[in-house]
Amino acid sequence: MAVMGRGVVPRDTPLLIADDLGFTRGDGCFDAARVTVVDGRARVDHLDRHLARFRRSASALELPAPDEDDWRVLVDEALDAWDADGEAVLKLVLTRGPEHSDRGVSALLTITAAPDATAARAGVRAATLGRGYASDAFASAPWLLGGVKTLSYAVNVAARREAARRGVDEVVFTSSDGFLLEGPTAGLLVAADDQLWTTPLEGTGVLASVTIEVIMDAARADGVATRFALFRPGDLPDTDGAWLVSAVRGVLPLRELDGVPLPHDPEITARLATAAGF
């Protein structure tokens, strides 16, 4: 753990007081990135992009803009102190701070070992779950905080529990008008017509996926067209494949959705994973 203004602290150090609005109201934002060890040195994948998304989330919540230079220093201090092998998760956290004092925002980060994603990277089975909003519900309602990585994650966690109840690995949220949106902790990527497609951000409330951005940038550099479009579950069997894409877990092929087998090309998956740095 590391705290802005204090640096790295012991993992059992108390960090928040009981009325911190991030704790009591979920009033704050976070971002998460994969940490790997390269040549004996821990590094963060795509840190620039994650800091930019962190800044956008803070702006949407009208929180003070995170100073990227200060966060980089704090991240470097934490990486220097991280000595575990294997993949890990860096989480940056910013809350509005205590409700009944003028201490200001709470800013901290954690690095923790990442769960083993080997099996998921070979393929996952998923079910669709209605999110309760139309696909354009966020276009005229910025107060719904579409595309903001807030600390209010209870729905996302509940969706993961529902996946377990249904006996599947993942869920994909759908809009009330029947379109696929994203997973609770992953974006949706589709290959079709020799192009890569992902869910539009405008109006859908979908979080911009750093890893999908990286993949699509690499695809365009290789001459592959990229597009934004809404797909229905019934569209996927006629595509070249679909993936849930996570900054931490990587590129997860959707092998089945609502009991329907989906196409999977291991060569495409390998290319996408390489482009993402996995």
Side-chain angles (χ1 to χ4, degrees):
M1 298 191 300
V3 181
M4 192 64 69
R6 295 171 59 184
V8 176
V9 298
R11 60 177 299 171
D12 59 350
T13 302
L15 298 181
L16 301 176
I17 63 175
D19 70 339
D20 189 288
L21 288 164
F23 171 67
T24 62
R25 299 291 180 88
D27 190 4
C29 59
F30 77 101
D31 218 282
R34 185 175 67 142
V35 175
T36 56
V37 178
V38 179
D39 297 328
R41 173 76 168 92
R43 60 177 293 277
V44 181
D45 288 354
H46 317 303
L47 179 59
D48 290 351
R49 294 178 188 251
H50 283 285
L51 285 171
R53 188 172 66 177
F54 191 41
R55 184 178 64 249
R56 293 195 299 271
S57 292
S59 176
L61 289 168
E62 300 181 33
L63 287 167
D67 186 303
E68 291 192 13
D69 291 338
D70 289 345
W71 280 101
R72 289 179 193 280
V73 170
L74 194 65
V75 168
D76 285 342
E77 290 180 13
L79 292 177
D80 287 341
W82 180 255
D83 58 3
D85 294 326
E87 298 180 1
V89 183
L90 168 72
K91 184 176 290 186
L92 312 174
V93 180
L94 182 67
T95 86
R96 203 170 301 278
E99 184 173 9
H100 300 293
S101 79
D102 58 359
R103 290 176 52 179
V105 299
S106 300
L108 57 99
L109 66 79
T110 62
I111 301 179
T112 55
D116 184 5
T118 303
R121 291 170 186 169
V124 295
R125 295 179 304 120
T128 54
L129 284 184
R131 195 174 64 175
Y133 296 104
S135 58
D136 60 354
F138 292 79
S140 59
W143 53 87
L144 292 177
L145 299 178
V148 179
K149 202 167 177 67
T150 72
L151 294 174
S152 302
Y153 243 53
V155 170
N156 303 64
V157 176
R160 300 300 297 271
R161 292 196 298 269
E162 182 64 20
R165 276 191 287 270
R166 297 188 182 201
V168 296
D169 309 300
E170 300 285 336
V171 300
V172 182
F173 287 130
T174 57
S175 64
S176 60
D177 45 347
F179 293 106
L180 297 165
L181 298 171
E182 61 185 343
T185 59
L188 178 66
L189 188 66
V190 177
D193 302 324
D194 298 319
Q195 301 173 83
L196 287 180
W197 306 75
T198 193
T199 311
L201 303 179
E202 183 66 31
T204 62
V206 165
L207 177 72
S209 167
V210 165
T211 313
I212 287 179
E213 288 176 358
V214 170
I215 290 171
M216 296 184 92
D217 284 350
R220 287 190 291 270
D222 287 340
V224 177
T226 62
R227 300 283 188 269
F228 292 90
L230 289 167
F231 288 82
R232 297 182 184 275
D235 297 331
L236 295 190
D238 295 323
T239 67
D240 297 318
W243 298 262
L244 290 175
V245 179
S246 160
V248 174
R249 292 177 295 150
V251 179
L252 316 181
L254 270 174
R255 304 296 296 271
E256 179 184 296
L257 183 63
D258 291 338
V260 178
L262 300 182
H264 173 233
D265 185 331
E267 183 178 341
I268 297 177
T269 296
R271 292 203 302 268
L272 296 175
T274 298
F278 284 85

